[in-house]
Amino acid sequence: MSLSEMNLFNVAKKQYFYKLKSNIGIFRMMAVLQIIALLMSFRGVGMSSSGGDGMMVSIQYISADILLVFTFIWAFTIALSFTTQASKNMDFAFVSSRASSHLSNIGFLLTTALLGGITAILGGTLLKNIIFFTGGTVLEQTWFIPPGEMMTGLIAAVLYIILIGSIGYFIGTLAQLHKAYILLLPALLLGTLFIENVVSHNAQIFMKTIRFFVEERSLGLFFIKVVVTGIVLYGSAIGLTNRMEVRT
Amino acid sequence: MGIAMNILIFVFLIILIFILFFALGGTSRSRVRAGKWSQSSRWVKPLLGMYGLILFSSLILFYVVPSVYGFTTDGDVGEERENYMELYSEFYHAADKGRLEEMEAVHTIEKWEFEYHGSDIKVTDARGEQPNMAVWVQIKDHEDGIIEAAFYTTGNVVNGFDFTHEIRPPIIEQRGDRLIVTKPEPYKIEYFSYTKEFTIRQFYGPYGLGHSSGSLFGPDILFLKIPKNIQIDSDNYKIHVIEEKLQ
């Protein structure tokens, strides 16, 4: 059956499920990383200590922030790995096009974002329950998170992973275009960070880019920013590989 | 954060990404056999399912615990007591008038009563130190043979949370013509504060990565009410005898 006989989305869908089945180990790695992050979070993401008149109060701050960061790193590396030759070779098990390959990859990365975001936020509740039931004295008034806020945090976590995934995919695609990018891109980032710190004691470009997302106070606008950035980065990755030779 | 720290974090992240990347490379070789669930996925799926089940159960438990254990959401006193200096001034003013118990913001931590029929009593620190705790004395207008003692404070607030209930009062004992005060040994209390994840804080606050800080350890007073026939003094404590007579 030729590709022209098949709908692009049908092919992409088949490839997507194929990738989902064959990459199940990726989610095992996610669970392992999240458990490591969970263990690291028991000492808290911050601590404050103050005292007076014989009394010393020590407060440890507990949240899923480390879990989220580890999940972000996991998502970034998955996106990178999906642009490697080994990953591309998988696509030749099918009658496929580069477009269907990209679509199935994006679909897979969106799935990882969904699962990664949900599990990271729920991992926070697991962490808090474990601390409480193992005898930790918790400031009870800090316990409650309104469900609406929890849901917002979950959606934002998914969006962050989508964003990070699209960045990873774009960087990975660049690296596939020319191996020099593998060294050039980290060097460029490190160099910018270093030079800006030396010149202005503040990494402005780096920080402004991060602030563009992390200082957005409206979930709707944050959603738009992430989706537009994702479309641009995934679109660029597709555009960049369009002229690459096709394996037959 | 210094430049060295920025670079260190960056390098750490790069190393972590490389490790993960090569670990994923290892799994990609097994993808060639894929297309159907591989041998290893047979136990991966139930494990992931169990992980998901644990996480989902945690979410339910997280919302059930506060009602089961009767948690309250109030207790943040940061806004209620903005003007602490004024409160402390009122505290000492009320002590001078013998009206500490009339003040809402004052906490009575402990009370004692001693039967005493002597004519002199000396307030002594058990360790012979010069404590910074103040002793206020109010003279009763009668001779009932009872020395009443009470330990008052305005409370301790750390990062907006009230820790007054954790204050340990001194031990007061009457031995002969001495009222011996033993302040508790320095002690440490440890709490966990559950903070919202940064993906929640970004939209609902508090903004930024830091945690609110600021602590106020309020003044405390040992307040004594003594019969009018008893003379009181101390080697260690500064005694404030108030003019207002107790009716």
Side-chain angles (χ1 to χ4, degrees), chain B residues 41-92:
Chain B
S41 73
R42 285 190 188 140
W43 62 267
V44 172
K45 274 205 300 176
L47 270 180
L48 288 177
M50 200 184 296
Y51 183 57
L53 191 70
I54 290 169
L55 292 179
F56 187 67
S57 310
S58 280
L59 178 70
I60 294 168
L61 198 60
F62 185 73
Y63 281 103
V64 167
V65 162
S67 55
V68 171
Y69 288 88
F71 286 0
T72 55
T73 49
D74 56 346
D76 190 332
V77 293
E79 282 178 28
E80 284 175 36
R81 298 187 197 165
E82 274 182 353
N83 200 341
Y84 281 88
M85 293 315 289
E86 200 176 297
L87 172 69
Y88 297 165
S89 165
E90 282 173 23
F91 178 67
Y92 287 116

Side-chain angles (χ1 to χ4, degrees), chain B:
Chain B
M1 201 182 289
I3 181 171
M5 188 58 80
N6 272 331
I7 290 172
L8 266 177
I9 291 170
F10 195 77
V11 169
F12 172 75
L13 287 178
I14 296 257
I15 291 168
L16 190 61
I17 287 165
F18 265 94
I19 292 168
L20 283 175
F21 184 75
F22 286 112
L24 284 170
T27 61
S28 73
R29 275 191 289 279
S30 64
R31 289 177 196 156
V32 181
R33 295 190 299 271
K36 52 186 176 186
W37 301 108
S38 60
Q39 283 288 329
S40 62
S41 73
R42 285 190 188 140
W43 62 267
V44 172
K45 274 205 300 176
L47 270 180
L48 288 177
M50 200 184 296
Y51 183 57
L53 191 70
I54 290 169
L55 292 179
F56 187 67
S57 310
S58 280
L59 178 70
I60 294 168
L61 198 60
F62 185 73
Y63 281 103
V64 167
V65 162
S67 55
V68 171
Y69 288 88
F71 286 0
T72 55
T73 49
D74 56 346
D76 190 332
V77 293
E79 282 178 28
E80 284 175 36
R81 298 187 197 165
E82 274 182 353
N83 200 341
Y84 281 88
M85 293 315 289
E86 200 176 297
L87 172 69
Y88 297 165
S89 165
E90 282 173 23
F91 178 67
Y92 287 116
H93 187 69
D96 282 338
K97 298 282 175 198
R99 290 177 182 163
L100 279 171
E101 294 203 354
E102 292 169 24
M103 262 185 86
E104 236 179 74
V106 171
H107 303 267
T108 309
I109 305 296
E110 184 83 73
K111 282 187 167 185
W112 303 263
E113 274 191 7
F114 305 100
E115 204 175 317
Y116 187 70
H117 296 288
S119 57
D120 298 284
I121 194 150
K122 188 167 268 194
V123 183
T124 310
D125 184 78
R127 300 186 190 96
E129 292 169 355
Q130 295 286 335
N132 50 14
M133 186 175 68
V135 178
W136 255 252
V137 177
Q138 187 170 29
I139 313 290
K140 299 179 187 178
D141 68 347
H142 52 279
E143 299 170 16
D144 59 356
I146 303 285
I147 295 175
E148 296 169 51
F151 185 66
Y152 299 104
T153 178
T154 54
N156 292 351
V157 175
V158 178
N159 297 358
F161 298 108
D162 198 334
F163 288 94
T164 307
H165 61 283
E166 294 281 6
I167 294 175
R168 295 181 191 168
I171 296 164
I172 316 274
E173 295 164 295
Q174 184 243 313
R175 285 186 217 149
D177 64 348
R178 286 178 186 270
L179 205 56
I180 299 166
V181 181
T182 312
K183 287 210 81 179
E185 290 287 338
Y187 56 102
K188 187 178 180 182
I189 50 170
E190 287 181 294
Y191 273 88
F192 289 98
S193 174
Y194 288 174
T195 56
K196 291 169 185 170
E197 285 65 34
F198 68 84
T199 55
I200 300 176
R201 294 200 306 270
Q202 176 174 344
F203 303 101
Y204 293 94
Y207 305 119
L209 294 171
H211 305 282
S212 65
S213 61
S215 54
L216 289 154
F217 289 81
D220 45 39
I221 282 176
L222 177 62
F223 199 94
L224 302 174
K225 292 173 186 171
I226 58 170
K228 67 175 183 182
N229 60 318
I230 296 176
Q231 292 293 312
I232 189 164
D233 72 342
S234 175
D235 295 332
N236 322 94
Y237 290 91
K238 193 176 177 192
I239 305 275
H240 303 262
V241 180
I242 66 172
E243 288 173 10
E244 200 114 346
K245 284 271 193 299
L246 190 68
Q247 300 296 312

Side-chain angles (χ1 to χ4, degrees), chain A residues 122-230:
Chain A
L122 295 192
T125 62
L126 176 63
L127 171 71
K128 291 167 183 176
N129 283 326
I130 290 173
I131 286 174
F132 178 69
F133 286 107
T134 51
T137 317
V138 178
L139 287 167
E140 59 185 59
Q141 57 269 45
T142 65
W143 185 290
F144 189 70
I145 298 175
E149 291 188 21
M150 181 74 90
M151 186 51 79
T152 302
L154 199 150
I155 294 167
V158 172
L159 288 171
Y160 268 117
I161 300 173
I162 290 173
L163 177 68
I164 287 163
S166 66
I167 294 168
Y169 199 74
F170 178 71
I171 291 173
T173 306
L174 278 182
Q176 289 305 310
L177 286 178
H178 202 289
K179 297 292 175 203
Y181 282 115
I182 296 171
L183 289 176
L184 204 63
L185 287 170
L188 189 72
L189 268 173
L190 256 176
T192 311
L193 202 68
F194 184 79
I195 290 166
E196 284 198 325
N197 254 310
V198 169
V199 173
S200 61
H201 300 289
N202 189 9
Q204 284 190 7
I205 297 173
F206 201 69
M207 292 312 290
K208 274 183 182 167
T209 311
I210 291 172
R211 279 194 195 122
F212 178 70
F213 294 102
V214 301
E215 290 184 0
E216 179 54 62
R217 304 292 175 229
S218 154
L219 182 65
L221 285 176
F222 181 69
F223 177 83
I224 292 167
K225 283 179 178 181
V226 170
V227 169
V228 169
T229 310

